[in-house]
Amino acid sequence: MSISTSNAAPVSGQASSAAAPEPEELVQLLTPEGERREHPDYPLDLSPEEIRGLYRDLVLVRRFDTEAVFLQRQGELGLWPSLLGQEAAQVGSARALHGHDMVFPTYREHGVAMCRGVRPEQLLELFRGVSHGGWNPKEHGFHLYTIVIGSQTLHATGYAMGIQRDGRVGAEGEAALAYFGDGASSQGDVNEAFVWASVFHAPVVFFCQNNQWAISAPLAKQSPIPLYRRAAGFGFPGVRVDGNDVFACLAVTRQAMRAAREGQGPSLIEAFTYRMGAHTTNDDPTRYRLSGELEEWKLKDPIERLRAYIAREGLAGADFLSGVDAEAEELGEQVRRACRELPDPRPMEIFDHVYAEPNSQVDEERERFAAYLDSFEGAEHEGDR
Amino acid sequence: MPTTTLTLGRALNAGMRRAMEADPKVLVMGEDVGKLGGVFRVTDGLQKDFGEDRVVDTPLAESGIIGTAIGLALRGYRPLCEIQFDGFVFPAADQIITQLAKMHMRSRGSIRLPVVIRIPFGGGIGAVEHHSESPEAYFAHTHGLRVVACANAVDAYWMIQQAIACDDPVVFFEPKRRYYDKGEIDETAPLESALPMGAARVARAGTDLTIACFGPMVKTALEAAAAAEEEGRSVEVLDLRSLSPIDYPALFDSVRRTGRLVVAHEAPVAYGLGGEIAARVTEECFYQLEAPVIRVGGFATPYPPARLEEHYLPDLDRVLDAVDRSLSH
Ligand SMILES: Cc1ncc(C[n+]2csc(CCOP(=O)(O)OP(=O)(O)O)c2C)c(N)n1
Ligand SMILES: [Mg+2]
């Protein structure tokens, strides 16, 4: 063994690979130009109405997201993590779900949330700072947002283990879907979730939106190999799908969820996409990435390609497209109004729901704080606090 | 004395830069610390000037950051780790508590782990959950770690250098809502001339009551002392700076002079540092105390949504209320 003793060589950077990398397979059913492609493993037969439905979803989701960015700029929200560019990954995967399936999102799955029937203003609560949640996860089969990177993948796996124990695996079964990011793929929790899911053969699908960035860290900081290939090492299938292709995301997720529901175990989907906006409204991506990249991805826009396909195939007339646009404008207005109308929480709500059962410590502090508020001259009415 | 005006965040940056220039073994590592300069820009420009080997953008995994920092320290490096926000230190808790804190003792002193963990902490910036917490008591309760908190730009500049120079692991808390507060710093002074990292500092002298505090609460306590003065009360503000160990000689000295103590921190009062301090002061200063030690801080609840944080955080009024309660005894 020869050991280099030179200090001069830099230690960071990529391991050099002798052979040119093989092109990675990317499941694509709709090209950026809007041309339909067939894939032997992922047949997809959609009616014109279903296709129009997907288009409408994409447009409404983007409109909602754009509105939320505006609301943040106007000071109505503290923060907003935009999903711009990831609409197809979210709508396609969400439309593959059954009502009984359970979704475990990150903080960016606004499109999935809307498909699961969460109301837009409920999604704003966390970011307006009026609550830590906003909706009842059980009502929507859509868990609360998880900000701590990767945690939810374990929750999804445990939930899936519950599905097994309830005997709900089979033809009419249920499954869990865990969303996470390319950055999250480095977290211990995510890797442990892979181990658990694989060892217990749990009905869970891991849906990684590889948007190429984790704040300022490009994918290369997380992995020198494509993320979908990690699955093989854990013992389950992995597939990379064009994340800007709503058809492919739908077809691939449908198949993975069906397999999970039917007892074939977990799988990993890597949706190859791009974060078109800043990480959040607090972020300034010009500090760390080149605009050329953005321009390249603009050509792969998920909505443009579906619109081109619809036009080419004559699946909808101008009145449908303008109708969707009008609906989107209406949604924007409704979101604006609903956001401003979200009531501020009352101070005493700090003490609500800390425990499921009565708790003497919280009760004592609640009373003491109420007395403190009352001690101010002209204290608000008891009802206000 | 030539001084430079720096914000607390820039002072940390200048202190880190000086330590990196002085010792090539000092490495900065964390999420987004390179090109971005950290989400608060505290490491701004360091990667440009010291290169990617010394300012390392890590994968997104806190356990990995601290675990590999331990390994680097075993190889003679002095890792200076950034945890992006207080609420995200917990994936690293295992490495910090079971490994970092205990290796020196387990090796009977043959292994030293000079690892610094910088953590922006505390609330008041209108953030979503996990971005406003004050987890210092967890680490103070873990022996083998030193825990410190800076409150102003001058201390930020000196204490970060002292933490890097320290041969014990240091958890270094930075008051994120004070990052933009300015101070006058003499960057030509030698490190040895600075107040030791373990020493408390009288931030304002007074005779009627002592407020012991640290980090973001020092400014609030100083405002409270100024307000109390208008009512003829002379309040001393003691910036603890070191939370483990606490500079008890300085604290006892202050309390023996004033006879009254209020402890203020943003973290929940219940099971917090204030309880430990109250117990020790009661043991040592029992006969000089004119009133029970009073604690003011967060409630026995998770940190609330941003629109409620003004009620959760101990503000000027809550501190003054505690002062009044002490003085009414
Ligand atoms: C445990 C933890 N560490 C750090 C952070 C801060 N943080 C928030 S988002 C983010 C990047 C996440 O990247 P990725 O997983 O790719 O998801 P994306 O934001 O791109 O959707 C980081 C580091 C966090 N929320 N949780
Ligand atoms: Mg990402």
Side-chain angles (χ1 to χ4, degrees):
Chain A
M1 186 170 75
S2 88
I3 295 173
S4 163
T5 52
S6 159
N7 282 330
V11 291
S12 58
Q14 302 294 306
S16 63
S17 65
E22 285 179 32
E24 300 300 334
E25 210 216 335
L26 183 76
V27 177
Q28 189 180 69
L29 302 181
L30 189 63
T31 68
E33 294 73 34
E35 282 164 23
R36 190 74 168 79
R37 292 272 181 276
E38 293 300 329
H39 191 288
D41 300 333
Y42 298 101
L44 182 71
D45 192 16
L46 295 174
S47 70
E49 196 186 342
E50 286 172 308
I51 292 169
R52 287 194 296 268
L54 290 172
Y55 176 80
R56 177 177 170 272
D57 286 345
L58 292 173
V59 171
L60 293 184
V61 162
R62 178 169 293 180
R63 187 63 185 85
F64 165 65
D65 184 74
T66 309
E67 193 58 45
V69 173
F70 283 144
L71 284 166
Q72 195 281 336
R73 298 237 167 88
Q74 292 163 1
E76 298 290 341
L77 300 176
L79 180 82
W80 186 252
S82 168
L83 60 57
L84 190 66
Q86 299 176 221
E87 296 88 351
Q90 298 198 8
V91 168
S93 56
R95 288 302 182 203
L97 299 174
H98 294 176
H100 284 121
D101 294 328
M102 185 69 190
V103 175
F104 290 83
T106 72
Y107 40 80
R108 208 187 287 285
E109 269 68 77
H110 323 310
V112 183
M114 287 171 73
C115 292
R116 297 299 276 175
V118 178
R119 289 196 312 280
E121 69 274 17
Q122 294 178 301
L123 285 163
L124 300 182
E125 286 193 20
L126 175 68
F127 300 100
R128 190 170 164 85
V130 301
S131 87
H132 283 324
W135 56 92
N136 179 350
K138 290 181 193 162
E139 236 169 69
H140 301 282
F142 187 80
H143 190 68
L144 295 179
Y145 276 175
T146 299
I147 287 174
V148 180
I149 299 296
S151 292
Q152 76 283 0
T153 55
L154 279 167
H155 310 159
T157 305
Y159 188 93
M161 290 164 66
I163 292 174
Q164 290 175 307
R165 280 154 184 74
D166 290 345
R168 294 288 301 146
V169 179
E172 299 293 305
E174 302 171 27
L177 181 59
Y179 287 90
F180 65 106
D182 44 292
S185 71
S186 292
Q187 278 288 9
D189 276 8
V190 174
N191 288 274
E192 290 176 24
F194 289 176
V195 170
W196 251 252
S198 134
V199 163
F200 294 104
H201 210 60
V204 55
V205 172
F206 299 105
F207 193 94
C208 177
Q209 284 171 88
N210 174 3
N211 62 9
Q212 314 299 329
W213 292 92
I215 310 187
S216 74
L219 180 65
K221 294 285 174 206
Q222 320 293 343
S223 180
I225 64 150
L227 293 173
Y228 79 93
R229 284 213 230 144
R230 288 210 183 149
F234 288 93
F236 51 85
V239 57
R240 180 184 272 185
V241 57
D242 182 342
N244 288 15
D245 170 354
V246 71
F247 291 165
C249 289
L250 174 64
V252 168
T253 312
R254 261 188 191 169
Q255 190 155 311
M257 289 297 283
R258 187 188 311 127
R261 288 186 208 107
E262 289 177 357
Q264 293 166 45
S267 58
L268 168 65
I269 299 168
E270 176 190 359
F272 204 73
T273 179
Y274 193 77
R275 196 194 79 206
M276 296 297 284
H279 169 67
T280 67
T281 43
N282 276 346
D283 178 39
D284 172 13
T286 62
R287 289 180 68 99
Y288 54 80
R289 70 182 190 186
L290 300 169
S291 57
E293 207 177 89
L294 196 70
E295 294 307 314
E296 235 173 78
W297 279 91
K298 262 188 197 156
L299 303 173
K300 303 179 188 169
D301 185 73
I303 300 184
E304 287 306 318
R305 73 172 78 178
L306 186 57
R307 201 197 333 259
Y309 175 69
I310 287 174
R312 174 174 299 121
E313 300 293 318
L315 297 175
D319 49 338
F320 168 76
L321 297 176
S322 60
V324 171
D325 287 345
E327 206 183 335
E329 275 323 295
E330 223 170 276
L331 174 69
E333 221 167 278
Q334 177 203 323
V335 168
R336 234 174 358 257
R337 195 172 344 106
C339 175
R340 298 203 170 104
E341 283 169 6
L342 279 173
D344 271 351
R346 291 168 294 105
M348 295 310 290
E349 286 179 41
I350 288 175
F351 302 94
D352 290 351
H353 309 300
V354 179
Y355 293 93
E357 298 195 11
N359 186 280
S360 56
Q361 173 106 46
V362 174
D363 290 346
E364 185 193 321
E365 295 203 4
R366 179 192 285 115
E367 274 168 38
R368 213 184 300 147
F369 187 56
Y372 167 79
L373 290 180
D374 287 344
S375 73
F376 287 87
E377 249 174 89
E380 296 150 277
H381 291 295
E382 209 171 307
D384 297 334
R385 47 161 228 243
Chain B
M1 169 173 96
T3 65
T4 326
T5 308
L6 293 177
T7 62
L8 195 157
R10 294 304 301 172
L12 286 165
N13 184 282
M16 290 191 281
R17 180 176 289 276
R18 185 163 150 176
M20 293 182 79
E21 279 163 359
D23 183 352
K25 296 291 189 188
V26 177
L27 307 179
V28 168
M29 46 200 285
E31 293 155 10
D32 306 290
V33 297
K35 263 192 197 159
L36 186 64
V39 294
F40 292 106
R41 308 293 184 261
V42 173
T43 56
D44 188 27
L46 296 180
Q47 189 178 65
K48 189 166 105 324
D49 295 340
F50 293 97
E52 291 188 26
D53 288 348
R54 291 193 64 198
V55 180
V56 184
D57 273 319
T58 66
L60 204 180
E62 289 76 11
S63 183
I65 294 172
I66 306 304
T68 58
I70 291 172
L72 282 157
L74 292 172
R75 267 303 283 203
Y77 287 89
R78 303 185 87 84
L80 172 51
C81 306
E82 174 175 303
I83 296 292
Q84 201 160 78
F85 280 91
D86 33 59
F88 307 140
V89 69
F90 301 109
D94 171 52
Q95 288 290 346
I96 297 172
I97 295 169
T98 71
Q99 305 300 318
L100 185 62
K102 297 175 172 60
M103 204 90 74
H104 186 262
M105 187 202 193
R106 289 178 54 222
S107 69
R108 295 174 174 244
S110 67
I111 292 173
R112 293 182 175 200
L113 295 178
V115 174
V116 179
I117 305 173
R118 295 180 34 238
I119 308 179
F121 85 125
I125 63 160
V128 294
E129 59 171 0
H130 312 300
H131 292 73
S132 305
E133 313 208 334
S134 298
E136 65 274 6
Y138 297 124
F139 299 105
H141 201 65
T142 300
H143 300 285
L145 303 174
R146 299 219 19 194
V147 182
V148 302
C150 60
N152 57 57
V154 175
D155 278 352
Y157 178 75
W158 294 112
M159 288 172 73
I160 192 65
Q161 294 178 63
Q162 292 164 330
I164 294 166
C166 179
D167 270 352
D168 286 312
V170 180
V171 184
F172 191 97
F173 284 102
E174 304 170 358
K176 70 169 85 80
R177 66 170 149 140
R178 310 292 187 209
Y179 269 141
Y180 301 99
D181 289 3
K182 290 184 181 147
E184 295 296 319
I185 294 161
D186 174 12
E187 293 183 87
T188 62
L191 183 56
E192 301 71 47
S193 67
L195 182 65
M197 184 172 76
R201 186 175 57 93
V202 176
R204 178 188 171 112
T207 54
D208 298 343
L209 179 145
T210 302
I211 301 176
C213 52
F214 52 88
M217 285 305 296
V218 174
K219 189 173 180 183
T220 310
L222 286 170
E223 287 163 5
E229 186 177 36
E230 284 172 21
E231 294 176 12
R233 309 292 200 182
S234 169
V235 170
E236 177 148 309
V237 175
L238 187 71
D239 177 0
L240 293 172
R241 300 180 356 123
S242 178
L243 310 181
S244 174
I246 284 172
D247 182 359
Y248 281 117
L251 180 60
F252 297 155
D253 173 66
S254 176
V255 174
R256 286 186 182 121
R257 283 188 284 103
T258 63
R260 296 172 200 273
L261 177 64
V262 167
V263 189
H265 50 59
E266 290 188 14
V269 165
Y271 312 103
L273 283 184
E276 172 66 17
I277 291 168
R280 288 284 282 131
V281 166
T282 306
E283 283 165 9
E284 299 295 328
C285 309
F286 189 69
Y287 294 104
Q288 287 89 13
L289 281 173
E290 311 269 350
V293 179
I294 295 193
R295 295 166 295 161
V296 54
F299 301 118
T301 71
Y303 198 88
R307 296 218 172 198
L308 288 176
E309 69 180 339
E310 59 169 316
H311 294 287
Y312 180 91
L313 290 172
D315 61 358
L316 182 69
D317 285 334
R318 292 249 302 282
V319 174
L320 285 175
D321 175 67
V323 167
D324 285 347
R325 278 190 284 140
S326 174
L327 288 168
S328 68
H329 271 276

